[in-house]
């Protein structure tokens, strides 16, 4: 196990709070995990939080808000059997700037 628990990240502003609320209300989906797609981080998650490897999923918000020029989504790990949500983070993706033609 390389790393311990990753602390939850707190929303930085009202839009991130609303995005988190929306995702936790059910507007989210699994992007990886489960019996057919075991997470690479599953050993660490099981050691820290318990449960079975096939019950862990990586979850993302369905919506993405643009905040300060970045597309922001919420991600976390969730164990569907024990209903545990851990290691919440906000994924911020800034647009790539195309090089200028010289």
């Amino acid at each position: 196990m390389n790393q311990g628990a990753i602390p939850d990240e707190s929303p930085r502003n009202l839009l991130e709070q609303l995005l988190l609320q929306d995702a936790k209300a059910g507007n989210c989906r699994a992007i990886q995990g489960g019996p057919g797609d075991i997470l690479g981080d599953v050993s660490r998650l099981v050691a820290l939080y318990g449960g079975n490897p096939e019950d862990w999923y990586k979850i993302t918000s369905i919506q993405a808000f643009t905040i300060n020029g970045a597309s922001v989504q919420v991600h976390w790990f969730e164990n569907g059997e024990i209903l545990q949500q851990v290691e919440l983070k906000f994924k911020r993706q800034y647009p790539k700037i195309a090089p200028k033609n010289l």
Side-chain angles (χ1 to χ4, degrees), residues 15-71:
L15 284 176
E16 287 185 357
Q17 289 175 6
L18 293 172
L19 182 63
L20 176 59
Q21 256 183 332
D22 185 59
K24 295 283 185 149
N27 293 316
C28 58
R29 65 182 177 87
I31 54 175
Q32 189 180 9
D37 188 19
I38 300 293
L39 295 169
D41 230 7
V42 79
S43 305
R44 183 181 68 80
L45 293 169
V46 169
L48 289 168
Y49 305 109
N52 298 311
E54 63 273 7
D55 297 330
W56 282 100
Y57 293 85
K58 185 169 187 176
I59 306 294
T60 185
S61 57
I62 292 172
Q63 284 194 330
F65 288 176
T66 300
I67 304 171
N68 297 327
S71 175

Side-chain angles (χ1 to χ4, degrees), residues 69-71 91-100:
S71 175
K91 184 171 181 175
R92 298 169 185 90
Q93 291 184 292
Y94 292 88
K96 294 185 166 91
I97 299 171
K100 294 182 181 180

Side-chain angles (χ1 to χ4, degrees), residues 1-7 41 43-45 47-49 77 86-87:
M1 182 168 50
N2 298 353
Q3 182 176 357
I6 298 170
D41 230 7
S43 305
R44 183 181 68 80
L45 293 169
L48 289 168
Y49 305 109
F77 293 109
V86 297
E87 302 184 9

